[in-house]
Amino acid sequence: MVRTHIRIPFNRAYVAAGAFGYVQEALSQGCRAGNGEFADRCRTVLNERYGCKHVFFTPSCTAALEFGAILTDLQPGDEVILPSYTFSSTVNAIVLRGARPRFCDVRPETMNMDPEHAAALINSRTRMLLPIDYAGIPCDVVALTTLARENDLTLFIDAAQSIGSASAGNSCGTFGDIAAFSFHETKNVSCGEGGALIVNREDWVERAHIIQEKGTDRRRVLMGLQDKYSWVDVGSSFLLSEVSAAILLAQLECLDETTALRSQVTEAYRALYSPFEQRGCLSTPHPGPDVELNHHAFFVIFNTAENRARFLGDLRGYGVSPYIGYIPLHSSVMGRSYGYEPNDLPITQSVSERIVRLPFYPDLARDGLDYCMESMSKVLEKIYGR
Ligand SMILES: *Cc1c(COP(=O)(O)O)cnc(C)c1O
């Protein structure tokens, strides 16, 4: 085994230099609860740079998903079509409303929901499509928007990984009826824990304010429209603290810089892995032609589970830490309790046993990428030959 003192983690959170000053500013202001000045300033960036019109900052993407599930009025017994290849938060949001998940297979080029399989799962109880933008690659918005419209379904996009990505010139977050962003420390823009619900339907905006404010019409008091507020609907505390919003603002302001660093990592990985892909040893992400990427992640799908195991084992010896990705929801303990068997989604099941997500963070481009590439190159040559 190779011995080394170098360690390449899977992720390392980026610290925006501007965050220190903003946090100080937030702390010295009177208002530290949600929806203050820093939330406004973050909202302006999302409005102006990314075209996200109605933005509700939340404590996490998980909370934004739960917020969205309330807003869409999901009822017990409603069916929601979502990929099995996603995080537990995506499915929990709808299960908490009593809705039933119908797990959909993916396309291996993007690891995103396969619209053809989604279409085959639609029946009279189907209420919603809930795709994700895996690795920051937008889901097939054209096909899914059409499918939703033709079948009168809500389109809710879990855009946890895709802030800054775009499809046909439009930013992720602006597609569908609603979308959820994550600002967790593992995402491109982060404030530790945080998220946002983007509401793209004008007729849902008023109610979103009420749900975000614990089911009250407090906003009407703040706007001077009435002098008392009270309980008018269901809701929860779906607000992001101003201190977190201060960190978020600094991160949003350096998104171009961190994306440029991230794109160097993508380029390096592409150069290393493409020759092996051409030889049929493995495959890499292939977003569509009019997609602009935020370079959130890079995945490699090995030809066999054995080769993935060798890759992971040997790289560990070099101190490099890739990540195996999701255990599919349909074959998890909870998924099985809904009657699913692993082979119900053959593509998801097979790919999940062969996929790896490579170490990926902005500072890797500045420090460690050469070592990371050298280690991977040696391991790949050992498995597949030159
Ligand atoms: C990260 C992630 C979440 C959860 O985000 P949090 O902000 O940690 O709650 C949900 N869905 C997907 C697809 C994610 O990648």
Side-chain angles (χ1 to χ4, degrees), residues 59-63 65 86-90 132-133 158-161 181-184 186-187 193-195 296 326 357:
S60 64
C61 180
T62 303
L65 290 162
T86 181
F87 193 57
S88 58
S89 298
T90 321
I132 76 166
D133 297 329
D158 178 345
Q161 304 175 13
F181 283 143
S182 173
F183 305 127
H184 185 261
T186 52
K187 304 291 158 57
E193 302 276 0
H296 174 60
Y326 299 127
R357 269 176 61 169

Side-chain angles (χ1 to χ4, degrees), residues 110-159:
T110 58
M111 292 307 285
N112 277 330
M113 196 149 116
D114 176 357
E116 275 174 40
H117 187 223
L121 295 173
I122 294 174
N123 63 41
S124 59
R125 290 178 300 278
T126 311
R127 274 286 315 281
M128 186 193 285
L129 302 178
L130 181 51
I132 76 166
D133 297 329
Y134 186 73
I137 304 171
C139 59
D140 189 339
V141 282
V142 174
L144 293 174
T145 303
T146 307
L147 197 60
R149 194 178 299 132
E150 283 174 353
N151 295 279
D152 196 20
L153 307 175
T154 300
L155 178 57
F156 184 1
I157 303 180
D158 178 345

